[in-house]
mmCIF file with all atom_site columns, all heavy atoms in Angstrom:
data_model
loop_
_atom_site.group_PDB
_atom_site.id
_atom_site.type_symbol
_atom_site.label_atom_id
_atom_site.label_alt_id
_atom_site.label_comp_id
_atom_site.label_asym_id
_atom_site.label_entity_id
_atom_site.label_seq_id
_atom_site.pdbx_PDB_ins_code
_atom_site.Cartn_x
_atom_site.Cartn_y
_atom_site.Cartn_z
_atom_site.occupancy
_atom_site.B_iso_or_equiv
_atom_site.pdbx_formal_charge
_atom_site.auth_seq_id
_atom_site.auth_comp_id
_atom_site.auth_asym_id
_atom_site.auth_atom_id
_atom_site.pdbx_PDB_model_num
ATOM 1  N N   . VAL N 1 63 ? -5.464  16.701 30.876 1.00 90.00 ? 194 VAL N N   1
ATOM 2  C CA  . VAL N 1 63 ? -5.075  18.084 31.062 1.00 90.00 ? 194 VAL N CA  1
ATOM 3  C C   . VAL N 1 63 ? -6.202  19.102 30.803 1.00 90.00 ? 194 VAL N C   1
ATOM 4  O O   . VAL N 1 63 ? -6.333  20.045 31.551 1.00 90.00 ? 194 VAL N O   1
ATOM 5  C CB  . VAL N 1 63 ? -3.825  18.406 30.170 1.00 90.00 ? 194 VAL N CB  1
ATOM 6  C CG1 . VAL N 1 63 ? -3.483  19.923 30.177 1.00 90.00 ? 194 VAL N CG1 1
ATOM 7  C CG2 . VAL N 1 63 ? -2.627  17.626 30.605 1.00 90.00 ? 194 VAL N CG2 1
ATOM 8  N N   . ARG N 1 64 ? -6.954  18.774 29.772 1.00 88.00 ? 195 ARG N N   1
ATOM 9  C CA  . ARG N 1 64 ? -8.098  19.698 29.473 1.00 88.00 ? 195 ARG N CA  1
ATOM 10 C C   . ARG N 1 64 ? -9.144  19.623 30.605 1.00 88.00 ? 195 ARG N C   1
ATOM 11 O O   . ARG N 1 64 ? -9.685  20.742 30.942 1.00 88.00 ? 195 ARG N O   1
ATOM 12 C CB  . ARG N 1 64 ? -8.770  19.190 28.170 1.00 88.00 ? 195 ARG N CB  1
ATOM 13 C CG  . ARG N 1 64 ? -9.981  20.053 27.735 1.00 88.00 ? 195 ARG N CG  1
ATOM 14 C CD  . ARG N 1 64 ? -9.500  21.452 27.366 1.00 88.00 ? 195 ARG N CD  1
ATOM 15 N NE  . ARG N 1 64 ? -10.571 22.277 26.911 1.00 88.00 ? 195 ARG N NE  1
ATOM 16 C CZ  . ARG N 1 64 ? -11.296 23.039 27.734 1.00 88.00 ? 195 ARG N CZ  1
ATOM 17 N NH1 . ARG N 1 64 ? -11.038 23.097 29.013 1.00 88.00 ? 195 ARG N NH1 1
ATOM 18 N NH2 . ARG N 1 64 ? -12.315 23.789 27.246 1.00 88.00 ? 195 ARG N NH2 1
ATOM 19 N N   . LEU N 1 65 ? -9.395  18.542 31.258 1.00 87.00 ? 196 LEU N N   1
ATOM 20 C CA  . LEU N 1 65 ? -10.267 18.447 32.382 1.00 87.00 ? 196 LEU N CA  1
ATOM 21 C C   . LEU N 1 65 ? -9.733  19.166 33.568 1.00 87.00 ? 196 LEU N C   1
ATOM 22 O O   . LEU N 1 65 ? -10.440 19.843 34.274 1.00 87.00 ? 196 LEU N O   1
ATOM 23 C CB  . LEU N 1 65 ? -10.574 17.016 32.673 1.00 87.00 ? 196 LEU N CB  1
ATOM 24 C CG  . LEU N 1 65 ? -11.426 16.218 31.607 1.00 87.00 ? 196 LEU N CG  1
ATOM 25 C CD1 . LEU N 1 65 ? -11.543 14.780 32.047 1.00 87.00 ? 196 LEU N CD1 1
ATOM 26 C CD2 . LEU N 1 65 ? -12.772 16.878 31.456 1.00 87.00 ? 196 LEU N CD2 1
ATOM 27 N N   . VAL N 1 66 ? -8.437  19.016 33.759 1.00 86.00 ? 197 VAL N N   1
ATOM 28 C CA  . VAL N 1 66 ? -7.761  19.700 34.924 1.00 86.00 ? 197 VAL N CA  1
ATOM 29 C C   . VAL N 1 66 ? -7.859  21.190 34.754 1.00 86.00 ? 197 VAL N C   1
ATOM 30 O O   . VAL N 1 66 ? -8.143  21.950 35.733 1.00 86.00 ? 197 VAL N O   1
ATOM 31 C CB  . VAL N 1 66 ? -6.289  19.196 35.082 1.00 86.00 ? 197 VAL N CB  1
ATOM 32 C CG1 . VAL N 1 66 ? -5.565  20.071 36.093 1.00 86.00 ? 197 VAL N CG1 1
ATOM 33 C CG2 . VAL N 1 66 ? -6.255  17.736 35.491 1.00 86.00 ? 197 VAL N CG2 1
ATOM 34 N N   . PHE N 1 67 ? -7.637  21.676 33.608 1.00 85.00 ? 198 PHE N N   1
ATOM 35 C CA  . PHE N 1 67 ? -7.760  23.143 33.297 1.00 85.00 ? 198 PHE N CA  1
ATOM 36 C C   . PHE N 1 67 ? -9.177  23.614 33.521 1.00 85.00 ? 198 PHE N C   1
ATOM 37 O O   . PHE N 1 67 ? -9.388  24.725 34.043 1.00 85.00 ? 198 PHE N O   1
ATOM 38 C CB  . PHE N 1 67 ? -7.287  23.474 31.883 1.00 85.00 ? 198 PHE N CB  1
ATOM 39 C CG  . PHE N 1 67 ? -5.793  23.544 31.724 1.00 85.00 ? 198 PHE N CG  1
ATOM 40 C CD1 . PHE N 1 67 ? -4.947  23.322 32.842 1.00 85.00 ? 198 PHE N CD1 1
ATOM 41 C CD2 . PHE N 1 67 ? -5.258  23.878 30.537 1.00 85.00 ? 198 PHE N CD2 1
ATOM 42 C CE1 . PHE N 1 67 ? -3.551  23.343 32.707 1.00 85.00 ? 198 PHE N CE1 1
ATOM 43 C CE2 . PHE N 1 67 ? -3.836  23.932 30.413 1.00 85.00 ? 198 PHE N CE2 1
ATOM 44 C CZ  . PHE N 1 67 ? -3.028  23.729 31.474 1.00 85.00 ? 198 PHE N CZ  1
ATOM 45 N N   . ALA N 1 68 ? -10.111 22.784 33.110 1.00 83.00 ? 199 ALA N N   1
ATOM 46 C CA  . ALA N 1 68 ? -11.546 23.153 33.338 1.00 83.00 ? 199 ALA N CA  1
ATOM 47 C C   . ALA N 1 68 ? -11.849 23.289 34.829 1.00 83.00 ? 199 ALA N C   1
ATOM 48 O O   . ALA N 1 68 ? -12.628 24.129 35.210 1.00 83.00 ? 199 ALA N O   1
ATOM 49 C CB  . ALA N 1 68 ? -12.453 22.206 32.616 1.00 83.00 ? 199 ALA N CB  1
ATOM 50 N N   . VAL N 1 69 ? -11.314 22.380 35.644 1.00 83.00 ? 200 VAL N N   1
ATOM 51 C CA  . VAL N 1 69 ? -11.547 22.437 37.052 1.00 83.00 ? 200 VAL N CA  1
ATOM 52 C C   . VAL N 1 69 ? -10.824 23.600 37.752 1.00 83.00 ? 200 VAL N C   1
ATOM 53 O O   . VAL N 1 69 ? -11.409 24.349 38.556 1.00 83.00 ? 200 VAL N O   1
ATOM 54 C CB  . VAL N 1 69 ? -11.125 21.085 37.714 1.00 83.00 ? 200 VAL N CB  1
ATOM 55 C CG1 . VAL N 1 69 ? -11.193 21.190 39.222 1.00 83.00 ? 200 VAL N CG1 1
ATOM 56 C CG2 . VAL N 1 69 ? -11.984 19.954 37.177 1.00 83.00 ? 200 VAL N CG2 1
ATOM 57 N N   . ALA N 1 70 ? -9.546  23.838 37.358 1.00 82.00 ? 201 ALA N N   1
ATOM 58 C CA  . ALA N 1 70 ? -8.775  24.850 37.979 1.00 82.00 ? 201 ALA N CA  1
ATOM 59 C C   . ALA N 1 70 ? -9.093  26.270 37.501 1.00 82.00 ? 201 ALA N C   1
ATOM 60 O O   . ALA N 1 70 ? -9.105  27.236 38.272 1.00 82.00 ? 201 ALA N O   1
ATOM 61 C CB  . ALA N 1 70 ? -7.271  24.527 37.816 1.00 82.00 ? 201 ALA N CB  1
ATOM 62 N N   . LEU N 1 71 ? -9.327  26.436 36.164 1.00 79.00 ? 202 LEU N N   1
ATOM 63 C CA  . LEU N 1 71 ? -9.585  27.735 35.615 1.00 79.00 ? 202 LEU N CA  1
ATOM 64 C C   . LEU N 1 71 ? -10.960 28.062 35.304 1.00 79.00 ? 202 LEU N C   1
ATOM 65 O O   . LEU N 1 71 ? -11.203 29.187 34.777 1.00 79.00 ? 202 LEU N O   1
ATOM 66 C CB  . LEU N 1 71 ? -8.699  27.900 34.340 1.00 79.00 ? 202 LEU N CB  1
ATOM 67 C CG  . LEU N 1 71 ? -7.172  27.605 34.525 1.00 79.00 ? 202 LEU N CG  1
ATOM 68 C CD1 . LEU N 1 71 ? -6.490  27.786 33.177 1.00 79.00 ? 202 LEU N CD1 1
ATOM 69 C CD2 . LEU N 1 71 ? -6.576  28.590 35.506 1.00 79.00 ? 202 LEU N CD2 1
ATOM 70 N N   . GLY N 1 72 ? -11.914 27.115 35.487 1.00 74.00 ? 203 GLY N N   1
ATOM 71 C CA  . GLY N 1 72 ? -13.237 27.400 35.190 1.00 74.00 ? 203 GLY N CA  1
ATOM 72 C C   . GLY N 1 72 ? -13.645 27.104 33.750 1.00 74.00 ? 203 GLY N C   1
ATOM 73 O O   . GLY N 1 72 ? -12.754 26.743 32.961 1.00 74.00 ? 203 GLY N O   1
ATOM 74 N N   . SER N 1 73 ? -14.811 27.357 33.390 1.00 74.00 ? 204 SER N N   1
ATOM 75 C CA  . SER N 1 73 ? -15.331 27.075 32.016 1.00 74.00 ? 204 SER N CA  1
ATOM 76 C C   . SER N 1 73 ? -16.174 28.263 31.616 1.00 74.00 ? 204 SER N C   1
ATOM 77 O O   . SER N 1 73 ? -16.859 28.909 32.385 1.00 74.00 ? 204 SER N O   1
ATOM 78 C CB  . SER N 1 73 ? -16.154 25.770 32.013 1.00 74.00 ? 204 SER N CB  1
ATOM 79 O OG  . SER N 1 73 ? -16.687 25.605 30.743 1.00 74.00 ? 204 SER N OG  1
ATOM 80 N N   . PRO N 1 74 ? -16.101 28.549 30.258 1.00 74.00 ? 205 PRO N N   1
ATOM 81 C CA  . PRO N 1 74 ? -16.997 29.616 29.778 1.00 74.00 ? 205 PRO N CA  1
ATOM 82 C C   . PRO N 1 74 ? -18.497 29.264 29.720 1.00 74.00 ? 205 PRO N C   1
ATOM 83 O O   . PRO N 1 74 ? -19.290 30.161 29.457 1.00 74.00 ? 205 PRO N O   1
ATOM 84 C CB  . PRO N 1 74 ? -16.421 29.922 28.318 1.00 74.00 ? 205 PRO N CB  1
ATOM 85 C CG  . PRO N 1 74 ? -15.840 28.638 27.961 1.00 74.00 ? 205 PRO N CG  1
ATOM 86 C CD  . PRO N 1 74 ? -15.290 28.012 29.196 1.00 74.00 ? 205 PRO N CD  1
ATOM 87 N N   . VAL N 1 75 ? -18.765 28.016 29.929 1.00 76.00 ? 206 VAL N N   1
ATOM 88 C CA  . VAL N 1 75 ? -20.179 27.593 29.851 1.00 76.00 ? 206 VAL N CA  1
ATOM 89 C C   . VAL N 1 75 ? -20.839 27.692 31.211 1.00 76.00 ? 206 VAL N C   1
ATOM 90 O O   . VAL N 1 75 ? -20.320 27.210 32.232 1.00 76.00 ? 206 VAL N O   1
ATOM 91 C CB  . VAL N 1 75 ? -20.243 26.114 29.371 1.00 76.00 ? 206 VAL N CB  1
ATOM 92 C CG1 . VAL N 1 75 ? -21.687 25.622 29.376 1.00 76.00 ? 206 VAL N CG1 1
ATOM 93 C CG2 . VAL N 1 75 ? -19.639 25.985 27.958 1.00 76.00 ? 206 VAL N CG2 1
#
Side-chain angles (χ1 to χ4, degrees):
V194 170
R195 182 67 180 87
L196 292 175
V197 170
F198 279 2
V200 172
L202 303 179
S204 175
V206 176

